[in-house]
Each structure stands twice: as structure tokens, then as C-alpha cells.
Amino acid sequence: MTVESSTRLLDPLRSTLASFVSPIYIVAESPYLLSDAVGNVISTRDQLVAENQVLERRVLELSQISQQYLALKAENDRMRALLGSQARLPYEVLVAELVGVIPDPTTFQIIIDKGADSGIRQGQAVLDEHGLFGQVVEVGGFTSRVILITDRDHAVPVRINRNGVRSVAGGTGERDFLELENVSITADIVEGDIVETSGLGGRFPPGYPVGTVSSVVIEPTSAYAQVLVRPTAQLDQSHHVLVIFKPDPASEAESAAEDDGAQVEAELEADEADEADSGAVGAVS
Amino acid sequence: MNPANGGWVILLSLVVAMLFGVIHLPETWPGWLGWLRPNWLVLVVFFWVIELPHRVGLIAVWFFGLLVDVLYADPLGFNGFVLAGVTYVAWRFFERLRMYSVLQQCGIIFVLTLAAEILRVFVLGLGSERVWEWAALMVPTVSMLLWPLVFLFLLRIRTGARVE
């Protein structure tokens, strides 16, 4: 116990054992998996049609946003190139399903159904469809353990989307709150601000939403403001999560090149007027 | 825990106890219900040791505890230590414990699970920011209340499967 609290020597042993016990999670989760499956089988045609329509509408909305995103990203990368800073690489994601929950009420950790066999490594960020979910803390053969951002032991470097004020969002052990740590009372943070990952520290990719500021309390006696943040991720409802893979630094150059190509194509499709601009930048660089 | 001669029943009961330890309620239910989970493993191990002290060994229990640690995401060695402690106490006094009334056995269970919870707070305190919560006292209480049921159930299984 002492060894583990201070070193990482026992991690390989843990992951080996995890491969043995992971079936137990799946058996324990089976009532929920089964009820989902049964629900899918017995839903009526009308329900399916209605759901299909809703989903189609969402796909339309999202594809419209993503078209804009491609153009914006290309523009952003051009600007970054002009400034001489490195272009951001795209992140790959892997969809994983929740198969277990750690039973201890003092902690928030879940088990997902992808492990070392899918290339998951310790420290990878996990998202759900709404925002940052947590990070991988232990990888077994076929499952991994993920600590949620609200866990008392978890903290994530963040910035305020509106003005870039940096802070650290620590878990509180409560289901619906994070707390921004060491925020000075003069910091420009108001209720409703969107908090996103800053990418500092290199563990979490920058720019993913973490939560919205739900209250700012300034005590006259304290040098720090107490800022509570409500996570945007649906921490207790999401059954599918996304594990983020950082682009491999070794293949950085080539993927960056591919990326440029893809962007130029996207640009051509998205906006004819931008084309000349892009050519100019290409010539400069 | 030798699989021969009905030993698989012991193993199976322990695995089922692990399973009960990770089954969770629907997420929409209030979170405090999580405190009402008894320490199933202590109950089951305690039963087998006082019934069949020669079948359950300290080392075997300790290694079994390692699996439980990974399953419950506890520090490695914690559950092994707790279960080995329970085994030792039960094994040392099994003749006396068998003669006790159910109420007295419940008292012993309460003390053992309470000790496990307190140890847990110390161990977690080494590497975590988690704090003691009074609700942790619910675990020994529920374990104590469930002991008679677990005892009767396992006794029936033991006689049914002729575990010697």
C-alpha cells in the first residue's frame, strides 16, 4: 500500500490483475446492458421513425457547423503559420462504452470497455458528447478505469473562454460541481462564463468545454474568490464516451502535411474566395 | 480454497460477493444509497472460516484480496490485509464464535467491518484527498444487520453442496 501510494512500480501488476477481474464488471453491468438491448428490440416503429427524424435534423445542424469549422480551422492555421507558431494537429478519438462503476461513494470512477488492446494508455483524456469527462488512470487488457473530473483527487487546467483567464478546476467530490482553485478576487470571472481546457500541462487537449460558472462568491475576509463550475458533460448519464488520442509526435510532420492538404481541399469546397489567400500563404511558407 | 471437495462453492461464493460489491443502482437514484452497501466479502469470508477453518488459508485470502483491490480500485494490498485480518480473528476464535448467539456474532461483524472502514480512511489518506465521512458508519451497520441472512443462506448452501 505504501509502495503504491508513492511510486508507480506496481502499475504493471495492477493491469494484469485488471484483465482477470474485468469480466466481473461486465456481469455486474449486464442488467443495464440487457435492458438497453431489450428496449431497442421492443421499441415501436413510430418511436424509431420519430427518433430517426430527430437524429437527421441533428446531423444536418452538426454538418452545417462542421463545414464552418473546417473553414475556420483552415483560417486559424493560416494565421498561426503567419505568426510562426505550430499548426494544431487533429486529435483522433475512440468510442468506448461504460461497463462498470467503482462502488465507493467517496470517489467517482468508471470502467470503460476498451483497454490496452485498443492502444489506450494512462493519462488520456476522456470526453462525452457535451464536454470533458475525465482521464484514464489505469489500463487493463480489455478495460480501463477512468477518473471523473468531479472526483476529489482530480484537477484539470482550464481557462475562461471569454477572456482567457487561467485557473485549475478541481473536483469537489460533489456530483455537479467543480471548483476553480486560487482565483484572486480581482479576476474577471462572472456567472455564466464557459470554462474550457487550456491544454497547459499537455495532458488534456486545449479547447474542450469543461463547464459553466454557476456561482462566484467573494468573501471579504479571503484573498481568493470561490468559483463553482457546473460540468457540461453528463457525468452520471453518459453511457458512451470518447477517448482522445494525441497525435504521435514522430509522425507529426507527415500528418501535418496531410492535414494541410485536407484543409486546402476543404477550403476549395467551402469557400472559393479564400483560395487565392491560401495560395499566397502557401507561397510564403 | 482448494477446488476439490466442494471448494469451488467457496470460491464461487467469494466471486459472487465481489460481484455484489460492484453492482450499482441506476444513476438517477440518489447517491447516498451507495453508503448502504455492506462489506459482502467480510461476511462471506467470516462465514467460511468459522464453519470450515481448515479450508480457508491466510495466504490464499491475501492473494484473493489483490484481485478485490483492483476491482474496487483500492490501493493494492488493502483488501488482502483486511480479509486476512478477518480470517485470522475468525480462525483464532472459531470454536468460541460458533457457540455465540447470532446477536453476538453480529457484534463481532460490526467491529471487524468498522475496523476495515477506519483502516481504509488511513490508507486512502496516504495518497488521496478523500476525507472521512460519518456516513461510512453505515457500512458496518448494514453488514451487521445482514449477517443473520447471509449466515442462514450460506449454511443452506454449505449443507446442500456438502462442502467439508
Side-chain angles (χ1 to χ4, degrees), chain B residues 149-163:
Chain B
L149 296 177
V150 173
F151 179 77
L152 289 177
F153 181 71
L154 285 176
L155 193 64
R156 176 158 293 190
I157 287 179
R158 177 174 115 69
T159 46
R162 295 205 183 74
V163 187

mmCIF file with all atom_site columns, all heavy atoms in Angstrom, chain B residues 149-163:
data_model
loop_
_atom_site.group_PDB
_atom_site.id
_atom_site.type_symbol
_atom_site.label_atom_id
_atom_site.label_alt_id
_atom_site.label_comp_id
_atom_site.label_asym_id
_atom_site.label_entity_id
_atom_site.label_seq_id
_atom_site.pdbx_PDB_ins_code
_atom_site.Cartn_x
_atom_site.Cartn_y
_atom_site.Cartn_z
_atom_site.occupancy
_atom_site.B_iso_or_equiv
_atom_site.pdbx_formal_charge
_atom_site.auth_seq_id
_atom_site.auth_comp_id
_atom_site.auth_asym_id
_atom_site.auth_atom_id
_atom_site.pdbx_PDB_model_num
ATOM 1   N N   . LEU B 1 149 ? -28.984 -13.125 7.756  1.00 0.00 ? 149 LEU B N   1
ATOM 2   C CA  . LEU B 1 149 ? -29.476 -13.621 6.474  1.00 0.00 ? 149 LEU B CA  1
ATOM 3   C C   . LEU B 1 149 ? -28.375 -14.323 5.697  1.00 0.00 ? 149 LEU B C   1
ATOM 4   O O   . LEU B 1 149 ? -28.564 -15.437 5.176  1.00 0.00 ? 149 LEU B O   1
ATOM 5   C CB  . LEU B 1 149 ? -30.018 -12.454 5.633  1.00 0.00 ? 149 LEU B CB  1
ATOM 6   C CG  . LEU B 1 149 ? -31.232 -11.748 6.215  1.00 0.00 ? 149 LEU B CG  1
ATOM 7   C CD1 . LEU B 1 149 ? -31.627 -10.583 5.333  1.00 0.00 ? 149 LEU B CD1 1
ATOM 8   C CD2 . LEU B 1 149 ? -32.382 -12.745 6.320  1.00 0.00 ? 149 LEU B CD2 1
ATOM 9   N N   . VAL B 1 150 ? -27.212 -13.672 5.642  1.00 0.00 ? 150 VAL B N   1
ATOM 10  C CA  . VAL B 1 150 ? -26.089 -14.267 4.913  1.00 0.00 ? 150 VAL B CA  1
ATOM 11  C C   . VAL B 1 150 ? -25.721 -15.600 5.535  1.00 0.00 ? 150 VAL B C   1
ATOM 12  O O   . VAL B 1 150 ? -25.477 -16.596 4.836  1.00 0.00 ? 150 VAL B O   1
ATOM 13  C CB  . VAL B 1 150 ? -24.883 -13.304 4.923  1.00 0.00 ? 150 VAL B CB  1
ATOM 14  C CG1 . VAL B 1 150 ? -23.650 -13.959 4.327  1.00 0.00 ? 150 VAL B CG1 1
ATOM 15  C CG2 . VAL B 1 150 ? -25.210 -12.044 4.151  1.00 0.00 ? 150 VAL B CG2 1
ATOM 16  N N   . PHE B 1 151 ? -25.719 -15.620 6.860  1.00 0.00 ? 151 PHE B N   1
ATOM 17  C CA  . PHE B 1 151 ? -25.336 -16.839 7.569  1.00 0.00 ? 151 PHE B CA  1
ATOM 18  C C   . PHE B 1 151 ? -26.271 -17.989 7.207  1.00 0.00 ? 151 PHE B C   1
ATOM 19  O O   . PHE B 1 151 ? -25.840 -19.067 6.804  1.00 0.00 ? 151 PHE B O   1
ATOM 20  C CB  . PHE B 1 151 ? -25.370 -16.577 9.076  1.00 0.00 ? 151 PHE B CB  1
ATOM 21  C CG  . PHE B 1 151 ? -25.004 -17.779 9.892  1.00 0.00 ? 151 PHE B CG  1
ATOM 22  C CD1 . PHE B 1 151 ? -23.681 -18.162 10.028 1.00 0.00 ? 151 PHE B CD1 1
ATOM 23  C CD2 . PHE B 1 151 ? -25.986 -18.539 10.519 1.00 0.00 ? 151 PHE B CD2 1
ATOM 24  C CE1 . PHE B 1 151 ? -23.340 -19.270 10.773 1.00 0.00 ? 151 PHE B CE1 1
ATOM 25  C CE2 . PHE B 1 151 ? -25.652 -19.654 11.261 1.00 0.00 ? 151 PHE B CE2 1
ATOM 26  C CZ  . PHE B 1 151 ? -24.325 -20.023 11.383 1.00 0.00 ? 151 PHE B CZ  1
ATOM 27  N N   . LEU B 1 152 ? -27.586 -17.740 7.304  1.00 0.00 ? 152 LEU B N   1
ATOM 28  C CA  . LEU B 1 152 ? -28.549 -18.812 7.013  1.00 0.00 ? 152 LEU B CA  1
ATOM 29  C C   . LEU B 1 152 ? -28.450 -19.254 5.561  1.00 0.00 ? 152 LEU B C   1
ATOM 30  O O   . LEU B 1 152 ? -28.473 -20.445 5.254  1.00 0.00 ? 152 LEU B O   1
ATOM 31  C CB  . LEU B 1 152 ? -29.974 -18.330 7.327  1.00 0.00 ? 152 LEU B CB  1
ATOM 32  C CG  . LEU B 1 152 ? -30.256 -18.178 8.821  1.00 0.00 ? 152 LEU B CG  1
ATOM 33  C CD1 . LEU B 1 152 ? -31.652 -17.640 9.041  1.00 0.00 ? 152 LEU B CD1 1
ATOM 34  C CD2 . LEU B 1 152 ? -30.085 -19.523 9.521  1.00 0.00 ? 152 LEU B CD2 1
ATOM 35  N N   . PHE B 1 153 ? -28.296 -18.287 4.667  1.00 0.00 ? 153 PHE B N   1
ATOM 36  C CA  . PHE B 1 153 ? -28.232 -18.600 3.245  1.00 0.00 ? 153 PHE B CA  1
ATOM 37  C C   . PHE B 1 153 ? -27.011 -19.471 2.938  1.00 0.00 ? 153 PHE B C   1
ATOM 38  O O   . PHE B 1 153 ? -27.121 -20.516 2.297  1.00 0.00 ? 153 PHE B O   1
ATOM 39  C CB  . PHE B 1 153 ? -28.183 -17.297 2.451  1.00 0.00 ? 153 PHE B CB  1
ATOM 40  C CG  . PHE B 1 153 ? -28.136 -17.502 0.971  1.00 0.00 ? 153 PHE B CG  1
ATOM 41  C CD1 . PHE B 1 153 ? -29.259 -17.965 0.297  1.00 0.00 ? 153 PHE B CD1 1
ATOM 42  C CD2 . PHE B 1 153 ? -26.981 -17.243 0.252  1.00 0.00 ? 153 PHE B CD2 1
ATOM 43  C CE1 . PHE B 1 153 ? -29.222 -18.159 -1.061 1.00 0.00 ? 153 PHE B CE1 1
ATOM 44  C CE2 . PHE B 1 153 ? -26.937 -17.443 -1.107 1.00 0.00 ? 153 PHE B CE2 1
ATOM 45  C CZ  . PHE B 1 153 ? -28.063 -17.899 -1.768 1.00 0.00 ? 153 PHE B CZ  1
ATOM 46  N N   . LEU B 1 154 ? -25.844 -19.043 3.438  1.00 0.00 ? 154 LEU B N   1
ATOM 47  C CA  . LEU B 1 154 ? -24.624 -19.792 3.153  1.00 0.00 ? 154 LEU B CA  1
ATOM 48  C C   . LEU B 1 154 ? -24.651 -21.158 3.833  1.00 0.00 ? 154 LEU B C   1
ATOM 49  O O   . LEU B 1 154 ? -24.135 -22.141 3.303  1.00 0.00 ? 154 LEU B O   1
ATOM 50  C CB  . LEU B 1 154 ? -23.396 -18.991 3.593  1.00 0.00 ? 154 LEU B CB  1
ATOM 51  C CG  . LEU B 1 154 ? -23.031 -17.815 2.689  1.00 0.00 ? 154 LEU B CG  1
ATOM 52  C CD1 . LEU B 1 154 ? -21.860 -17.047 3.265  1.00 0.00 ? 154 LEU B CD1 1
ATOM 53  C CD2 . LEU B 1 154 ? -22.698 -18.290 1.294  1.00 0.00 ? 154 LEU B CD2 1
ATOM 54  N N   . LEU B 1 155 ? -25.286 -21.220 5.017  1.00 0.00 ? 155 LEU B N   1
ATOM 55  C CA  . LEU B 1 155 ? -25.366 -22.504 5.718  1.00 0.00 ? 155 LEU B CA  1
ATOM 56  C C   . LEU B 1 155 ? -26.161 -23.500 4.890  1.00 0.00 ? 155 LEU B C   1
ATOM 57  O O   . LEU B 1 155 ? -25.796 -24.670 4.757  1.00 0.00 ? 155 LEU B O   1
ATOM 58  C CB  . LEU B 1 155 ? -26.019 -22.297 7.081  1.00 0.00 ? 155 LEU B CB  1
ATOM 59  C CG  . LEU B 1 155 ? -25.889 -23.469 8.038  1.00 0.00 ? 155 LEU B CG  1
ATOM 60  C CD1 . LEU B 1 155 ? -24.423 -23.688 8.373  1.00 0.00 ? 155 LEU B CD1 1
ATOM 61  C CD2 . LEU B 1 155 ? -26.682 -23.228 9.311  1.00 0.00 ? 155 LEU B CD2 1
ATOM 62  N N   . ARG B 1 156 ? -27.237 -22.998 4.298  1.00 0.00 ? 156 ARG B N   1
ATOM 63  C CA  . ARG B 1 156 ? -28.060 -23.872 3.459  1.00 0.00 ? 156 ARG B CA  1
ATOM 64  C C   . ARG B 1 156 ? -27.269 -24.362 2.260  1.00 0.00 ? 156 ARG B C   1
ATOM 65  O O   . ARG B 1 156 ? -27.295 -25.535 1.898  1.00 0.00 ? 156 ARG B O   1
ATOM 66  C CB  . ARG B 1 156 ? -29.299 -23.102 3.006  1.00 0.00 ? 156 ARG B CB  1
ATOM 67  C CG  . ARG B 1 156 ? -30.172 -23.865 2.057  1.00 0.00 ? 156 ARG B CG  1
ATOM 68  C CD  . ARG B 1 156 ? -31.572 -23.341 2.057  1.00 0.00 ? 156 ARG B CD  1
ATOM 69  N NE  . ARG B 1 156 ? -32.251 -23.585 3.326  1.00 0.00 ? 156 ARG B NE  1
ATOM 70  C CZ  . ARG B 1 156 ? -33.538 -23.382 3.505  1.00 0.00 ? 156 ARG B CZ  1
ATOM 71  N NH1 . ARG B 1 156 ? -34.280 -22.918 2.534  1.00 0.00 ? 156 ARG B NH1 1
ATOM 72  N NH2 . ARG B 1 156 ? -34.106 -23.624 4.668  1.00 0.00 ? 156 ARG B NH2 1
ATOM 73  N N   . ILE B 1 157 ? -26.524 -23.432 1.662  1.00 0.00 ? 157 ILE B N   1
ATOM 74  C CA  . ILE B 1 157 ? -25.688 -23.829 0.516  1.00 0.00 ? 157 ILE B CA  1
ATOM 75  C C   . ILE B 1 157 ? -24.647 -24.842 0.948  1.00 0.00 ? 157 ILE B C   1
ATOM 76  O O   . ILE B 1 157 ? -24.401 -25.847 0.276  1.00 0.00 ? 157 ILE B O   1
ATOM 77  C CB  . ILE B 1 157 ? -25.013 -22.592 -0.091 1.00 0.00 ? 157 ILE B CB  1
ATOM 78  C CG1 . ILE B 1 157 ? -26.045 -21.775 -0.852 1.00 0.00 ? 157 ILE B CG1 1
ATOM 79  C CG2 . ILE B 1 157 ? -23.871 -22.996 -1.021 1.00 0.00 ? 157 ILE B CG2 1
ATOM 80  C CD1 . ILE B 1 157 ? -25.509 -20.546 -1.465 1.00 0.00 ? 157 ILE B CD1 1
ATOM 81  N N   . ARG B 1 158 ? -24.060 -24.594 2.101  1.00 0.00 ? 158 ARG B N   1
ATOM 82  C CA  . ARG B 1 158 ? -22.984 -25.479 2.556  1.00 0.00 ? 158 ARG B CA  1
ATOM 83  C C   . ARG B 1 158 ? -23.499 -26.893 2.795  1.00 0.00 ? 158 ARG B C   1
ATOM 84  O O   . ARG B 1 158 ? -22.880 -27.865 2.374  1.00 0.00 ? 158 ARG B O   1
ATOM 85  C CB  . ARG B 1 158 ? -22.379 -24.941 3.850  1.00 0.00 ? 158 ARG B CB  1
ATOM 86  C CG  . ARG B 1 158 ? -21.324 -25.832 4.422  1.00 0.00 ? 158 ARG B CG  1
ATOM 87  C CD  . ARG B 1 158 ? -20.652 -25.184 5.606  1.00 0.00 ? 158 ARG B CD  1
ATOM 88  N NE  . ARG B 1 158 ? -20.891 -25.904 6.851  1.00 0.00 ? 158 ARG B NE  1
ATOM 89  C CZ  . ARG B 1 158 ? -20.393 -27.106 7.124  1.00 0.00 ? 158 ARG B CZ  1
ATOM 90  N NH1 . ARG B 1 158 ? -19.662 -27.731 6.252  1.00 0.00 ? 158 ARG B NH1 1
ATOM 91  N NH2 . ARG B 1 158 ? -20.657 -27.676 8.275  1.00 0.00 ? 158 ARG B NH2 1
ATOM 92  N N   . THR B 1 159 ? -24.637 -26.998 3.449  1.00 0.00 ? 159 THR B N   1
ATOM 93  C CA  . THR B 1 159 ? -25.170 -28.329 3.702  1.00 0.00 ? 159 THR B CA  1
ATOM 94  C C   . THR B 1 159 ? -25.677 -28.951 2.401  1.00 0.00 ? 159 THR B C   1
ATOM 95  O O   . THR B 1 159 ? -25.523 -30.151 2.166  1.00 0.00 ? 159 THR B O   1
ATOM 96  C CB  . THR B 1 159 ? -26.300 -28.280 4.735  1.00 0.00 ? 159 THR B CB  1
ATOM 97  O OG1 . THR B 1 159 ? -27.175 -27.220 4.391  1.00 0.00 ? 159 THR B OG1 1
ATOM 98  C CG2 . THR B 1 159 ? -25.758 -28.061 6.126  1.00 0.00 ? 159 THR B CG2 1
ATOM 99  N N   . GLY B 1 160 ? -26.254 -28.122 1.531  1.00 0.00 ? 160 GLY B N   1
ATOM 100 C CA  . GLY B 1 160 ? -26.764 -28.630 0.261  1.00 0.00 ? 160 GLY B CA  1
ATOM 101 C C   . GLY B 1 160 ? -25.651 -29.191 -0.611 1.00 0.00 ? 160 GLY B C   1
ATOM 102 O O   . GLY B 1 160 ? -25.782 -30.252 -1.206 1.00 0.00 ? 160 GLY B O   1
ATOM 103 N N   . ALA B 1 161 ? -24.536 -28.438 -0.702 1.00 0.00 ? 161 ALA B N   1
ATOM 104 C CA  . ALA B 1 161 ? -23.447 -28.847 -1.580 1.00 0.00 ? 161 ALA B CA  1
ATOM 105 C C   . ALA B 1 161 ? -22.433 -29.750 -0.879 1.00 0.00 ? 161 ALA B C   1
ATOM 106 O O   . ALA B 1 161 ? -21.455 -30.154 -1.480 1.00 0.00 ? 161 ALA B O   1
ATOM 107 C CB  . ALA B 1 161 ? -22.726 -27.604 -2.138 1.00 0.00 ? 161 ALA B CB  1
ATOM 108 N N   . ARG B 1 162 ? -22.673 -30.032 0.373  1.00 0.00 ? 162 ARG B N   1
ATOM 109 C CA  . ARG B 1 162 ? -21.786 -30.898 1.178  1.00 0.00 ? 162 ARG B CA  1
ATOM 110 C C   . ARG B 1 162 ? -20.329 -30.453 1.092  1.00 0.00 ? 162 ARG B C   1
ATOM 111 O O   . ARG B 1 162 ? -19.451 -31.214 0.755  1.00 0.00 ? 162 ARG B O   1
ATOM 112 C CB  . ARG B 1 162 ? -21.884 -32.350 0.705  1.00 0.00 ? 162 ARG B CB  1
ATOM 113 C CG  . ARG B 1 162 ? -23.257 -32.921 0.951  1.00 0.00 ? 162 ARG B CG  1
ATOM 114 C CD  . ARG B 1 162 ? -23.212 -34.423 1.082  1.00 0.00 ? 162 ARG B CD  1
ATOM 115 N NE  . ARG B 1 162 ? -24.575 -34.930 1.251  1.00 0.00 ? 162 ARG B NE  1
ATOM 116 C CZ  . ARG B 1 162 ? -25.471 -35.001 0.257  1.00 0.00 ? 162 ARG B CZ  1
ATOM 117 N NH1 . ARG B 1 162 ? -25.116 -34.628 -0.959 1.00 0.00 ? 162 ARG B NH1 1
ATOM 118 N NH2 . ARG B 1 162 ? -26.678 -35.470 0.481  1.00 0.00 ? 162 ARG B NH2 1
ATOM 119 N N   . VAL B 1 163 ? -20.111 -29.176 1.401  1.00 0.00 ? 163 VAL B N   1
ATOM 120 C CA  . VAL B 1 163 ? -18.740 -28.700 1.462  1.00 0.00 ? 163 VAL B CA  1
ATOM 121 C C   . VAL B 1 163 ? -18.147 -29.108 2.793  1.00 0.00 ? 163 VAL B C   1
ATOM 122 O O   . VAL B 1 163 ? -18.713 -28.812 3.846  1.00 0.00 ? 163 VAL B O   1
ATOM 123 C CB  . VAL B 1 163 ? -18.706 -27.170 1.334  1.00 0.00 ? 163 VAL B CB  1
ATOM 124 C CG1 . VAL B 1 163 ? -17.271 -26.696 1.227  1.00 0.00 ? 163 VAL B CG1 1
ATOM 125 C CG2 . VAL B 1 163 ? -19.496 -26.732 0.116  1.00 0.00 ? 163 VAL B CG2 1
#
